[in-house]
Amino acid sequence: MFYLGSIVIGSGYVLFSYFSSQLVDRLHWVSPEVLTLAIAAGQLTPGPLFASAAFFGQILRGWPGAAACAIGIFAPAFLFSGMAIPLARRLET
């Protein structure tokens, strides 16, 4: 999820191709049917990225997995923002 969170920008339709290539084709963690269910569940809620990641985590490891996947999908955004702040301050001066 950390990897996907660092490269994914877009909605549920973009997620489908990334999740399919990583979780179905490469890692074989879920079936294509579960992938479709996860993306559909994400599309029903605001924030399809978060909801789909939490759905996968729930399927794979229960509530701890859902929490880990949700944190993992958003962690890169916080890290990249934290790294950009010093650069932005230097550019201001």
Side-chain angles (χ1 to χ4, degrees):
M1 290 300 158
F2 188 86
Y3 167 74
L4 291 172
S6 62
I7 61 169
V8 171
I9 297 173
S11 67
Y13 302 114
V14 174
L15 292 176
F16 196 86
S17 65
Y18 280 108
F19 280 138
S20 178
S21 68
Q22 293 299 315
L23 300 179
V24 176
D25 298 334
R26 195 177 122 220
L27 298 172
H28 306 289
W29 283 0
V30 296
S31 67
E33 292 81 17
V34 171
L35 170 70
T36 304
L37 285 172
I39 299 300
Q43 291 299 307
L44 292 173
T45 62
L49 182 66
F50 169 76
S52 297
F55 185 92
F56 283 124
Q58 173 67 29
I59 293 294
L60 295 171
R61 298 280 184 225
W63 290 108
C69 285
I71 291 168
I73 205 90
F74 281 115
F78 290 105
L79 291 174
F80 294 154
S81 296
M83 292 185 322
I85 290 171
L87 176 63
R89 287 191 180 138
R90 266 193 259 147
L91 293 174
E92 286 177 351
T93 58

